[in-house]
């Protein structure tokens, strides 16, 4: 307790003896003699909320992060006590609250300690700003590892590092730069192969220390608000992430075209440049679905206007692009130019929609258009107004997606690069200063944009992309990782950031492929494309100041490699879409770090380069120049080398060849991977056949393929097609059962099985109890065409 007295001297206060315990259904209040109250709520058997108030007071309960539609419910809740502890027991957890200190220990049902307070909750009163600096200290065990926390540009395992969450415009950030654009105060701990998660739902500048200050302590704190955190128990990391994503919300399916390739630059203008760009994609036969217009499409950077010199008739242009299979996405920033003749500014002013300083003047800051006012997106009325601004641009002109940038919010030429702390916000009827609203500002902007785009693009689905985000943003928007740099180190960062975002509930993320600042070499661009096609959001973007960064900017060899990998992404579209379906319905990350894939294998705990694309393709990017391959760790299990179908045992490090036209890729045995033909854009072709790459295995494996109308909302009425496959392989026998649900009738009538690694020669083929002649086999006995509705196919050797 020496530490406590030291901390006490520095002004910290601690809860003392519990004097009162009160239960209200799923919530138990523990109050101490010195009036600290712990509100413990059982959300689910494995999800517990801990919330602490001082002076006996809890704040009005409000959070932007929590999805109010997320269902709750537990099977068991019991409150007991012994000499030293009050004990809360659920069907999955035992939570002990120490009577003399309010410190907690969380154990699983078998009595294994999962997580325990070290100092636990403590606080300092903030005499200058009011309220408390709220703190939590947890014991960290030797070998415990930590993951999550959004977009941090560091090694996947966070142990030994300290972080701050304060959304920051971070042009050309580097490895270890902290903080950057996003604030996702959620982390996963892995202790003795069991995973848990902690979500500190506090929008102030939160801080996390993973054993940096003290080797055996993990702590988190904030200079205001409440100590309010959710604890998730696994023991699988998959359940932890799914439960976190469930609590903070899952996105609807995006339009399928948004999973196609996207091309961006600062900036494509005028119209002739955009048209030439589009034409070049088609001429070179490089698939592409989205073209992005950066700030120069506007009139003097005024949002919701068009520069009529560059784009005399945007509606016509966008229509022509659509006819050629391109969707147009435009950037919209939060700063509204202060210009008395500009209608958006006028409306904002008249209706009192702009943020103000504490003493009343408007919050004025410089961004691209010069001096700007900034809508208070934390005000629901302002969000409604903002949504309505998309009527023309989306509803009439035909823009299909909106890209929100600078929404940290970024302000130029000021030291903090953002609003001063005193700026006032509505915070949905809980008025506060910028200290509390800063981290949610970007998400509330994206939310308002989403509402607008969704309304006016109807009956199509919306696409929003954001730079800044707080937990829960995934309900409204995809994201990119901001202004990275065209260096090899940034390729490493990109790989870590997207994996980390996927672990943090925000799968629909990508990086500026090739790097935003500076110019990549052709080799770096090729290596980045090879990684980028496996990211849920796949967009090339660059500042445009250093030269071109289109797929053809680096000579024929690189163009051909780029084309091949973008084509590969298009062939994987049904696989990608199924990944999104699993994310959107179950909160399963679209790509999975190795530690998530196999947390029981200690080797994975410290890996950071390899990841699993979907459920069964292991990818490891080449991150160094002049490589002919690399050493990597192959997860446990049996794998097929994607490139030559050779079979290889995992659970070990190995050298893998990968010349410039290859990336190390392995497919899990038993996998069934759905593929479409190459298309120049989504829906270019009517799909006449679904190809399934079947990777033979002795044993069983389940997989699924989700499809629907690719856009629109009919899928919500059951108009989707979900094919569940069960593969069973034995010596000399392969059986695949199909169970189909949903009422969507896919355009193809046949499914083609592409049999890979079959260990026997086929002698009999039986489909739904009918025996077929062997000559229905194609391609040297490797391919079998079936009616799409087959129930069971059995192949015997
Ligand atoms: C910011 C964005 C970048 C964009 C530029 C101009 O730097 O991060 O993506 O191109 O602003 O709008």
């Amino acid at each position: 307790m020496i530490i406590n007295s030291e901390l006490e001297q520095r002004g910290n206060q601690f809860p003392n003896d519990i004097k009162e315990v009160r239960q209200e259904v799923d919530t138990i209040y523990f109050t101490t003699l010195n009036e600290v109250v712990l509100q413990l709520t059982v959300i689910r058997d494995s999800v517990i909320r801990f919330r602490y108030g001082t002076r006996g007071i809890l704040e009005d309960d409000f959070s932007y992060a929590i999805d109010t539609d997320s269902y709750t419910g537990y099977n068991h809740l019991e409150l007991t006590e012994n000499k030293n502890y009050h004990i809360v027991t659920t069907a999955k957890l035992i939570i002990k609250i120490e009577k003399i200190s309010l410190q907690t220990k969380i154990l699983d049902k078998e009595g294994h300690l999962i997580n325990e307070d070290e100092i636990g909750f403590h606080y300092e009163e903030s005499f200058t700003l009011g309220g408390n600096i709220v703190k939590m200290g947890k014991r960290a065990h030797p070998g415990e590892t930590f993951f999550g926390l959004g977009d941090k540009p560091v090694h996947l395992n966070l142990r030994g590092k300290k972080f701050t969450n304060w959304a920051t415009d971070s042009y050309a950030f580097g490895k270890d730069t902290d903080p950057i654009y996003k604030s996702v105060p959620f982390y996963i701990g892995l202790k003795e192969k069991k995973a848990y998660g902690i979500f500190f739902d506090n929008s102030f500048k939160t801080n996390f220390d993973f054993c940096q200050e003290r080797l055996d302590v993990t702590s988190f704190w904030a200079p205001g608000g409440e100590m309010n955190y959710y604890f998730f128990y696994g023991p699988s990391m998959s359940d932890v992430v799914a439960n976190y994503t469930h609590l903070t919300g899952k996105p609807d399916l995006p339009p399928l075209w948004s999973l196609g390739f996207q091309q961006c630059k600062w900036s494509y203008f005028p119209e002739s440049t955009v048209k030439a760009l589009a034409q070049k994609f088609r001429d070179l036969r490089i698939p592409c679905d989205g073209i992005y217009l950066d700030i120069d499409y506007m009139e003097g950077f005024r949002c919701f206007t068009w520069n009529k010199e560059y784009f005399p008739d945007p509606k016509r242009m966008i229509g022509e692009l659509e006819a050629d299979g391109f969707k147009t996405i435009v950037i919209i920033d939060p700063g509204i130019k202060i210009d008395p003749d500009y209608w958006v500014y006028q409306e904002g002013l008249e209706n009192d929609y702009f943020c103000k300083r504490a003493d009343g003047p408007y919050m004025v800051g410089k961004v691209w258009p010069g001096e700007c006012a900034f809508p208070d997106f934390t005000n629901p009325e302002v969000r409604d107004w903002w949504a309505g601004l998309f009527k023309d641009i989306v509803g009439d002109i035909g823009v299909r997606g909106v890209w929100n940038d600078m929404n940290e919010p970024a302000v130029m030429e000021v030291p903090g690069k953002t609003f001063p702390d005193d700026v006032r916000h509505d915070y949905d009827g809980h008025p506060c200063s910028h200290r509390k609203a800063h981290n949610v500002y970007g998400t509330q902007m994206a939310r308002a944009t989403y509402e607008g785009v969704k309304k006016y693009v109807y009956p199509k689905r919306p696409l929003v992309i954001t730079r800044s985000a707080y937990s829960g943003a995934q309900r409204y928007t995809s994201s990119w990782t901001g202004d990275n740099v065209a260096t090899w180190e940034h390729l490493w960062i990109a790989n870590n950031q997207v994996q980390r975002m996927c672990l943090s509930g925000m799968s629909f993320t990508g990086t500026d492929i090739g790097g935003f600042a500076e110019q990549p070499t052709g080799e770096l661009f090729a290596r980045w494309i090879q990684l980028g096609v496996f990211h849920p959001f796949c967009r090339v973007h660059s500042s445009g100041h250093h030269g071109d960064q289109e797929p053809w900017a680096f000579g024929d060899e690189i163009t051909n490699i780029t084309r091949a990998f973008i084509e590969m992404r298009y062939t994987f579209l049904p696989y990608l879409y199924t990944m999104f379906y699993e994310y959107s319905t179950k909160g399963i990350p679209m790509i999975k770090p190795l530690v998530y894939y196999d947390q029981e294998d200690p080797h994975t705990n410290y890996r950071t380069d390899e990841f699993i694309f979907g459920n069964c393709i292991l990818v490891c990017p080449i991150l160094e120049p002049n490589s002919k391959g690399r050493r990597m760790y192959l997860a446990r299990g049996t794998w097929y080398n994607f490139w030559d179908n050779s079979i290889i045992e995992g659970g070990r490090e190995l050298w893998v060849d990968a010349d410039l036209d290859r990336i190390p890729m392995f497919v899990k045995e038993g996998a069934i991977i759905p593929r479409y033909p190459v298309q120049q854009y989504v829906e270019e072709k009517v799909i006449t056949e679904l190809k399934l790459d079947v990777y033979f295995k002795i044993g069983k494996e389940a997989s699924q393929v989700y499809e629907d109308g690719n856009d629109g909302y009919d899928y919500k009425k059951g108009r989707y097609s979900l094919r569940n496959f069960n593969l069973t392989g034995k010596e000399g026998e392969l059986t695949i059962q199909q169970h189909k649900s949903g009422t969507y009738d896919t355009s193809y009538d046949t499914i083609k099985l592409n049999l890979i690694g079959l260990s026997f020669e086929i002698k009999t083929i039986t489909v739904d109890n009918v025996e077929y002649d062997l000559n229905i086999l194609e391609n040297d006995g490797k391919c079998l065409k079936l009616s799409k509705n087959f129930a069971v196919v059995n192949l015997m050797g």
Side-chain angles (χ1 to χ4, degrees):
M1 283 291 127
I2 298 167
I3 288 160
N4 274 12
S5 70
E6 245 180 61
L7 284 172
E8 232 152 25
Q9 276 171 18
R10 301 209 314 252
N12 287 276
Q13 302 188 49
F14 302 85
N16 57 13
D17 302 68
I18 297 174
K19 67 169 183 194
E20 188 191 281
V21 180
R22 184 165 57 85
Q23 180 170 2
E24 277 175 23
V25 200
D26 57 355
T27 300
I28 304 158
Y29 296 87
F30 301 89
T31 309
T32 63
L33 288 172
N34 60 353
E35 298 294 336
V36 173
V37 32
L38 160 60
Q39 176 195 302
L40 185 156
T41 306
V42 176
I43 310 249
R44 300 175 85 163
D45 289 304
S46 55
V47 182
I48 314 290
R49 179 181 183 193
F50 294 86
R51 195 180 167 212
Y52 298 81
T54 61
R55 299 182 198 281
I57 300 167
L58 289 163
E59 287 177 7
D60 193 8
D61 197 9
F62 174 76
S63 163
Y64 281 116
I66 306 300
D67 180 4
T68 46
D69 293 335
S70 76
Y71 61 87
T72 57
Y74 50 85
N75 295 307
H76 180 75
L77 166 54
E78 193 183 313
L79 177 63
T80 54
E81 64 180 297
N82 64 21
K83 185 158 158 276
N84 298 325
Y85 296 97
H86 294 286
I87 301 165
V88 179
T89 309
T90 75
K92 300 242 174 82
L93 293 172
I94 302 164
I95 303 131
K96 295 182 169 178
I97 300 107
E98 197 180 33
K99 288 182 174 172
I100 56 162
S101 66
L102 209 59
Q103 287 172 357
T104 65
K105 288 188 202 302
I106 305 173
L107 302 93
D108 68 10
K109 282 310 282 248
E110 286 72 48
H112 298 123
L113 181 68
I114 308 298
N115 185 259
E116 66 179 317
D117 286 355
E118 188 255 353
I119 302 179
F121 172 63
H122 54 297
Y123 63 102
E124 264 175 77
E125 279 192 52
S126 173
F127 296 109
T128 43
L129 299 162
N132 294 325
I133 303 163
V134 293
K135 311 177 188 185
M136 173 58 66
K138 298 254 177 206
R139 194 170 298 284
H141 291 259
E144 192 167 346
T145 44
F146 303 96
F147 306 91
L149 234 58
D151 64 350
K152 304 299 181 196
V154 300
H155 188 286
L156 271 184
N157 180 1
L158 304 168
R159 189 166 179 136
K161 297 199 175 76
K162 218 169 140 171
F163 302 94
T164 298
N165 289 315
W166 183 253
T168 305
D169 177 8
S170 314
Y171 174 79
F173 65 93
K175 190 174 170 191
D176 295 326
T177 303
D178 187 60
I180 59 169
Y181 303 94
K182 299 178 181 71
S183 298
V184 187
F186 164 68
Y187 74 89
I188 301 155
L190 183 62
K191 173 179 170 270
E192 286 154 5
K193 303 184 177 173
K194 294 188 165 62
Y196 66 87
I198 287 184
F199 170 41
F200 180 20
D201 187 11
N202 178 313
S203 62
F204 283 78
K205 182 185 277 177
T206 49
N207 298 277
F208 288 81
D209 178 334
F210 300 99
C211 315
Q212 196 204 57
E213 276 183 20
R214 292 172 58 208
L215 288 179
D216 56 351
V217 175
T218 287
S219 58
F220 44 96
W221 67 99
E226 285 181 334
M227 176 47 61
N228 168 32
Y229 76 90
Y230 294 80
F231 181 87
F232 308 88
Y233 179 53
S236 74
M237 204 176 276
S238 168
D239 281 342
V240 172
V241 176
N243 273 326
Y244 166 76
T245 311
H246 183 71
L247 186 75
T248 55
K250 301 180 291 263
D252 275 349
L253 286 170
L256 187 61
W257 63 261
S258 68
L259 299 180
F261 178 71
Q262 321 280 310
Q263 179 70 38
C264 187
K265 170 153 115 184
W266 181 15
S267 281
Y268 292 124
F269 71 89
E271 173 176 334
S272 55
T273 302
V274 177
K275 290 302 237 3
L277 173 81
Q279 194 53 50
K280 188 102 181 178
F281 271 102
R282 298 299 180 242
D283 288 349
L284 292 178
R285 302 204 56 77
I286 298 172
C288 180
D289 266 278
I291 291 185
Y292 288 64
L293 301 183
D294 205 328
I295 48 176
D296 301 284
Y297 78 90
M298 303 177 202
E299 179 61 51
F301 307 130
R302 288 170 190 80
C303 293
F304 307 101
T305 67
W306 291 84
N307 179 316
K308 286 288 160 136
E309 196 188 314
Y310 298 154
F311 297 99
D313 188 355
K315 184 172 176 170
R316 176 191 40 76
M317 177 188 80
I318 289 174
E320 286 164 7
L321 288 170
E322 286 252 355
D324 203 9
F326 293 98
K327 312 289 187 271
T328 306
I329 299 91
V330 300
I331 196 167
I332 289 283
D333 288 351
I336 297 301
K337 188 177 174 68
I338 297 183
D339 166 3
D341 296 326
Y342 167 37
W343 57 285
V344 180
Y345 177 67
Q346 286 164 359
E347 282 184 26
L349 208 58
E350 274 160 26
N351 295 299
D352 200 14
Y353 288 158
F354 295 127
C355 294
K356 289 185 186 145
R357 304 292 299 268
D359 296 324
Y362 284 104
M363 162 61 217
V364 175
K366 277 197 188 161
V367 214
W368 307 120
E371 287 192 338
C372 286
F374 300 84
D376 181 11
F377 295 106
T378 72
N379 179 338
E381 204 184 314
V382 176
R383 288 198 299 270
D384 278 354
W385 165 68
W386 185 261
L389 296 174
F390 291 93
K391 185 163 190 285
D392 279 357
I393 200 169
V394 173
D396 180 42
I397 294 176
V399 161
R400 293 287 283 272
V402 173
W403 165 28
N404 282 167
D405 185 24
M406 307 296 272
N407 53 354
E408 291 68 34
V411 177
M412 294 167 174
E413 297 168 26
V414 293
K417 296 189 189 172
T418 190
F419 294 1
D421 281 351
D422 69 277
V423 169
R424 303 294 299 164
H425 294 272
D426 180 66
Y427 213 91
D428 278 64
H430 307 80
C432 67
S433 80
H434 196 63
R435 293 168 67 235
K436 181 170 174 179
H438 176 83
N439 281 335
V440 300
Y441 186 85
T443 300
Q444 295 314 303
M445 178 191 186
R447 175 184 181 181
T449 301
Y450 168 77
E451 294 301 343
V453 180
K454 187 176 172 181
K455 180 166 175 193
Y456 297 112
V457 84
Y458 188 85
K460 304 283 186 204
R461 303 175 196 161
L463 174 70
V464 178
I465 303 119
T466 188
R467 193 170 72 174
S468 184
Y470 183 69
S471 296
Q474 69 271 12
R475 304 203 290 275
Y476 320 113
T477 180
S478 66
S479 75
W480 93 104
T481 57
D483 297 342
N484 57 5
V485 188
T487 62
W488 289 92
E489 182 171 80
H490 263 273
L491 182 56
W492 180 92
I493 294 174
N495 181 26
N496 280 278
Q497 282 186 301
V498 176
Q499 290 186 59
R500 185 186 308 293
M501 288 292 284
C502 285
L503 278 186
S504 308
M506 294 188 196
S507 279
F508 200 8
T509 301
T511 66
D512 283 353
I513 295 175
F516 178 74
E518 298 174 23
Q519 171 83 340
T521 58
E523 184 191 7
L524 176 58
F525 184 80
R527 293 305 193 187
W528 210 315
I529 274 282
Q530 289 169 353
L531 172 64
V533 295
F534 295 107
H535 286 163
F537 184 65
C538 178
R539 184 183 78 161
V540 168
H541 182 39
S542 67
S543 69
H545 303 333
H546 305 274
D548 292 340
Q549 205 159 303
E550 290 74 32
W552 47 85
F554 307 93
D556 288 349
E557 187 193 6
I558 304 299
T559 307
N560 293 338
I561 292 171
T562 304
R563 182 192 297 105
F565 278 86
I566 296 177
E567 283 179 352
M568 182 199 279
R569 182 174 173 98
Y570 277 74
T571 68
F572 279 135
L573 274 175
Y575 181 74
L576 248 171
Y577 201 40
T578 303
M579 278 156 65
F580 211 116
Y581 166 78
E582 291 178 353
Y583 168 47
S584 141
T585 51
K586 298 191 207 126
I588 297 174
M590 292 175 66
I591 67 174
K592 299 148 179 90
L594 233 47
V595 62
Y596 174 109
Y597 179 73
D598 187 0
Q599 70 192 52
E600 304 270 327
D601 173 4
H603 293 286
T604 65
N605 292 209
Y606 305 95
R607 302 304 306 185
T608 205
D609 291 351
E610 305 85 354
F611 63 89
I612 311 283
F613 171 63
N615 295 324
C616 33
I617 302 180
L618 192 153
V619 179
C620 183
I622 298 290
L623 300 169
E624 280 172 29
N626 304 315
S627 300
K628 295 258 168 233
R630 62 165 291 164
R631 280 197 79 74
M632 60 173 281
Y633 184 74
L634 191 62
R636 295 190 301 182
T638 305
W639 302 84
Y640 285 81
N641 185 325
F642 176 81
W643 300 105
D644 61 13
N645 291 332
S646 58
I647 293 175
I648 181 161
E649 276 309 310
R652 61 193 174 102
E653 265 201 49
L654 71 170
W655 168 269
V656 180
D657 289 333
D659 261 324
L660 193 52
D661 59 350
R662 292 271 193 276
I663 183 173
M665 272 173 85
F666 297 87
V667 183
K668 197 174 147 184
E669 62 163 358
I672 295 185
I673 313 266
R675 318 263 316 243
Y676 282 168
V678 172
Q679 302 176 76
Q680 297 308 303
Y681 54 92
V682 165
E683 293 190 345
E684 183 206 15
K685 294 182 180 158
V686 175
I687 308 296
T688 53
E689 185 169 79
L690 179 70
K691 185 170 145 224
L692 298 178
D693 285 343
V694 179
Y695 292 84
F696 181 73
K697 150 181 190 171
I698 303 229
K700 288 176 188 288
E701 205 71 47
S703 45
Q704 56 180 8
V705 183
Y706 174 87
E707 293 165 288
D708 63 15
N710 302 335
D711 206 335
Y713 294 95
D714 279 358
Y715 77 99
K716 296 211 169 200
K717 298 179 212 128
R719 298 250 305 148
Y720 60 83
S721 153
L722 182 63
R723 299 175 191 282
N724 279 288
F725 297 109
N726 284 312
L727 173 149
T728 311
K730 295 182 190 151
E731 290 297 346
E733 184 173 353
L734 170 66
T735 310
I736 299 170
Q737 290 172 297
Q738 173 175 219
H739 173 78
K740 190 181 170 292
S741 55
T743 59
Y744 182 72
D745 194 18
T746 50
S747 55
Y748 52 84
D749 290 322
T750 54
I751 289 182
K752 186 188 212 162
L753 302 183
N754 180 31
L755 305 165
I756 299 163
L758 214 57
S759 60
F760 57 91
E761 201 184 315
I762 302 170
K763 302 246 168 64
T764 56
I765 303 172
T766 316
V767 185
D768 298 337
N769 297 320
V770 179
E771 211 178 301
Y772 281 77
D773 202 276
L774 283 187
N775 63 25
I776 70 162
L777 287 170
E778 295 174 8
N779 194 13
D780 281 348
K782 296 284 176 342
C783 276
L784 179 59
K785 254 190 204 173
L786 302 174
S787 135
K788 69 173 167 186
N789 292 324
F790 78 88
V792 191
V793 49
N794 178 271
L795 308 172
M796 304 261 273

